[in-house]
Amino acid sequence: MKKILMLFLFLAGTAMYAQKEMPNVTIKSSDNKSYNVKSDFAEKDKIYVFSFWATWCAPCIKELDAINEKYTAWSKELNMEVVAVSVDDSRTQKRVKPLLNGKKWPYQVLLDTNQDLKRALGIANVPYTVVVKNKKVVYVHNGYSQGAEEELYNKLKEL
């Protein structure tokens, strides 16, 4: 009975996000350009992987590093883009650019300093992944464990 209840809750939670539109929120990139997540990441049939992270979150960094190792191959096979959204607040925001300089990730990096996008999507904690296709949220995942990037890849191939 407990397993059935857990499955129901999981499916209900997934259904809540299925086909939910991205919010109309504008945030800045690491190079200080403004991006509206609803309109600027809206290329038809392109898959956008929004990875919410913070400099103080070790699993977040591990997830982005793991995706980075596969990113070139994934990008060749799939019409996709990873957008790394830092939720560092005003106290820890100064750590973002030095970390990015050291990592050399190929991702577009957005800074959700006021956590407007995080709040609009109802995200409680990071790491948190939101996959968007045609302006609709088609998959969400919270947390990271080694190998989870393969699960993400398999999900992306289904889209």
Side-chain angles (χ1 to χ4, degrees):
M1 182 67 180
K2 186 176 179 182
K3 286 183 181 181
I4 293 171
L5 180 61
M6 292 301 288
L7 178 62
F8 174 76
L9 291 173
F10 171 76
L11 292 173
T14 304
M16 284 185 349
Y17 280 99
Q19 303 304 309
K20 178 180 177 184
E21 287 220 4
M22 279 298 277
N24 190 15
V25 174
T26 300
I27 56 178
K28 298 216 180 228
S29 66
S30 57
D31 55 0
N32 209 33
K33 293 180 185 166
S34 291
Y35 287 90
N36 180 291
V37 295
K38 186 173 186 172
S39 59
D40 290 328
F41 299 97
E43 183 181 315
K44 184 164 175 41
D45 294 330
K46 185 169 186 173
I47 301 167
Y48 295 95
V49 179
F50 290 88
S51 180
F52 289 81
W53 67 285
T55 56
W56 45 263
C57 171
C60 299
I61 307 297
K62 287 180 183 175
E63 178 177 49
L64 287 166
D65 283 343
I67 292 171
N68 185 38
E69 290 177 16
K70 318 265 183 175
Y71 192 57
T72 302
W74 290 7
S75 297
K76 285 179 183 171
E77 182 182 346
L78 305 167
N79 183 18
M80 64 157 306
E81 178 180 345
V82 172
V83 181
V85 182
S86 167
V87 296
D88 282 275
D89 60 18
S90 57
R91 292 174 299 149
T92 58
Q93 181 184 4
K94 62 186 171 285
R95 298 183 200 155
V96 173
K97 285 193 180 181
L99 185 133
L100 293 175
N101 289 338
K103 293 291 183 182
K104 305 268 190 248
W105 289 327
Y107 319 128
Q108 172 72 258
V109 177
L110 301 180
L111 308 174
D112 193 15
T113 309
N114 294 327
Q115 301 189 353
D116 295 331
L117 181 56
K118 181 182 170 192
R119 250 189 321 280
L121 288 168
I123 297 170
N125 29 356
V126 291
Y128 198 92
T129 305
V130 176
V131 178
V132 176
K133 185 174 181 181
N134 297 325
K135 298 184 186 181
K136 305 266 191 230
V137 175
V138 294
Y139 176 74
V140 296
H141 181 80
N142 189 214
Y144 175 75
S145 58
Q146 188 174 0
E149 66 279 2
E150 291 302 322
E151 179 184 326
L152 173 63
Y153 174 64
N154 289 331
K155 190 66 180 175
L156 297 177
K157 287 193 307 185
E158 293 174 10
L159 299 175

